[in-house]
Amino acid sequence: MAKERLDKLMASTGRWSRREAKILIKEGRVLVDGMPAASGDDKVDPAVSEILVDGEDLGYQTFTYVMLHKPAGILTATEDKRQETVLDLLSPELRKQGLFPVGRLDKDTEGLLLMTNDGDLAHRLLAPKSHVDKVYYAKLDNPLKPADQIAFREGITLADGMVCMPAELELLGDGREVLITIREGKFHQIKRMTASRGSQVQYLKRLSMGTLQLDENLEKGDYRYLTAEEIQNLGGKI
Ligand code: URA
């Protein structure tokens, strides 16, 4: 693991917020290799240094799990010669940790993107047989109707003949805004599903993936470490 800010490392355990971590550090209750830490800005590699909080080992994580609020206009990729990718939004320290996005959001889609270096978890979350629910909020040009809800539940057939697994369609207001829950991840799936019912997506945002919900306090383009509880609920390693 690369060096990371001490307050961020402490917050990544889910036991304290960054603000609480800073207070503990100020109070001299955090020791790095036996010496009281000076500031939350101190860069520490938890794989190399011993970090004690009130005499207790911090217990650093084997893997890193980050939730990004992906903005529109950014590519879901680890690198690209011409365009900005979601990796470019992370700190240089995190970029060195081999994080990759779990699944893909289109360039114009916003919302929850989990980034990790835990390949096993990514594989489990993405495997079609895992049936992990993904919830999207969409704005549409034409309203969808109760008949479309039935079609979604029965399994939409896309323009190319591909049949989708049963999905949930919730109509908000007049049906120009919807919540859609899918359990697979075909290319442009939401856009193609609504298009097959005569309605084009104008705006798309992912709200959740399995047990993981987008933290609405995260501004677009910002990210945070998952809490210990979020990692545990997803099936990651603490
Ligand atoms: N479905 C889409 O059409 N686009 C996304 O980005 C995600 C799901």
Side-chain angles (χ1 to χ4, degrees):
M1 189 163 174
K3 281 189 176 184
E4 180 58 279
R5 289 175 58 105
L6 183 56
D7 55 356
K8 259 197 169 184
L9 275 174
M10 289 175 66
S12 74
T13 66
R15 288 154 67 191
W16 308 279
S17 66
R18 292 267 292 272
R19 182 196 297 257
E20 289 164 345
K22 282 194 176 101
I23 293 170
L24 286 169
I25 293 165
K26 223 176 179 176
E27 290 175 349
R29 291 159 64 183
V30 183
L31 302 185
V32 177
D33 294 330
M35 297 293 288
S39 144
D41 303 337
D42 288 0
K43 296 277 176 64
V44 183
D45 183 344
V48 175
S49 294
E50 181 193 55
I51 306 169
L52 299 180
V53 182
D54 287 337
E56 235 183 77
D57 199 279
L58 182 68
Y60 85 95
Q61 290 164 3
T62 325
F63 294 113
T64 302
Y65 306 89
V66 163
M67 128 173 8
L68 170 72
H69 187 164
K70 179 192 173 296
I74 307 280
L75 222 55
T76 306
T78 48
E79 56 181 16
D80 190 87
K81 287 205 173 71
R82 278 174 290 271
Q83 300 186 61
E84 201 180 1
T85 73
V86 288
L87 251 290
D88 296 323
L89 299 175
L90 305 182
S91 68
E93 287 81 18
L94 269 176
R95 259 182 269 145
K96 285 185 212 132
Q97 290 185 32
L99 299 192
F100 55 86
V102 179
R104 226 183 135 264
L105 291 178
D106 296 338
K107 191 174 169 188
D108 58 356
T109 302
E110 297 183 351
L112 173 68
L113 190 65
L114 170 64
M115 303 190 59
T116 185
N117 44 16
D118 181 348
D120 282 351
L121 176 69
H123 183 72
R124 268 182 277 129
L125 289 173
L126 295 176
K129 67 173 175 5
S130 299
H131 297 181
V132 173
D133 281 1
K134 276 143 301 208
V135 181
Y136 291 86
Y137 164 82
K139 281 188 193 164
L140 308 167
D141 61 352
N142 287 316
L144 291 180
K145 307 246 159 44
D148 301 310
Q149 292 182 294
I150 296 168
F152 269 61
R153 218 168 288 145
E154 287 175 348
I156 294 279
T157 302
L158 301 175
D160 61 0
M162 204 182 268
V163 180
C164 298
M165 286 168 57
E168 280 303 314
L169 169 67
E170 190 181 327
L171 306 176
L172 306 173
D174 71 354
R176 276 191 184 83
E177 291 178 60
V178 294
L179 291 177
I180 298 174
T181 306
I182 55 175
R183 298 182 182 87
E184 54 192 334
K186 299 189 197 303
F187 186 59
H188 295 329
Q189 183 163 348
I190 299 284
K191 291 173 184 163
R192 291 158 76 208
M193 286 172 94
T194 63
S196 83
R197 305 298 298 176
S199 184
Q200 305 299 323
V201 166
Q202 295 181 319
Y203 170 82
L204 189 60
K205 178 178 183 180
R206 180 155 65 191
L207 304 179
S208 66
M209 183 179 200
T211 54
L212 190 64
Q213 311 257 356
L214 176 66
D215 183 336
E216 286 295 343
N217 293 319
L218 275 183
E219 299 286 338
K220 282 178 211 170
D222 279 356
Y223 60 89
R224 70 156 169 81
Y225 287 97
L226 263 54
T227 65
E229 194 182 352
E230 285 168 333
I231 296 168
Q232 224 152 18
N233 289 341
L234 272 183
K237 291 185 193 68
I238 296 191

